[in-house]
Amino acid sequence: MPGMDGLELQRGVRLDRPDLPVIFITAHHDDKVERCALAQGAAFFIRKPFDADELLLRAVKMALSEVSGNQGP
């Protein structure tokens, strides 16, 4: 994303839409960024390459369950 990193985007999304779940998908393997994203409320953090089932079955379901107030898988 030119001019903005994922953490900046997450902060903007949280200000504008605090109930919108954020799922990070990245090719950069940076444990510090992952910890920061999760600490700032990211629903899930996936590193590329990833399995489509992981994205759908784990990340999206977990994010949606957080929004609805249910427990994740």
Side-chain angles (χ1 to χ4, degrees):
M1 293 178 299
M4 180 183 300
D5 67 22
L7 293 173
E8 291 175 272
L9 177 61
Q10 179 188 23
R11 283 190 286 275
V13 168
R14 299 303 274 178
L15 289 172
D16 202 40
R17 300 270 314 268
D19 294 334
L20 184 69
V22 175
I23 297 172
F24 271 78
I25 300 174
T26 183
H28 303 287
H29 295 209
D30 186 330
D31 291 333
K32 182 179 176 184
V33 170
E34 180 176 357
R35 286 190 306 272
C36 188
L38 294 171
Q40 291 181 24
F44 213 79
F45 196 98
I46 297 176
R47 294 177 176 172
K48 294 179 186 177
F50 62 90
D51 183 317
D53 287 339
E54 178 183 24
L55 176 62
L56 180 61
L57 297 176
R58 293 183 62 213
V60 173
K61 284 184 178 183
M62 181 179 289
L64 292 175
S65 70
E66 286 182 11
V67 170
S68 67
N70 298 328
Q71 289 188 356

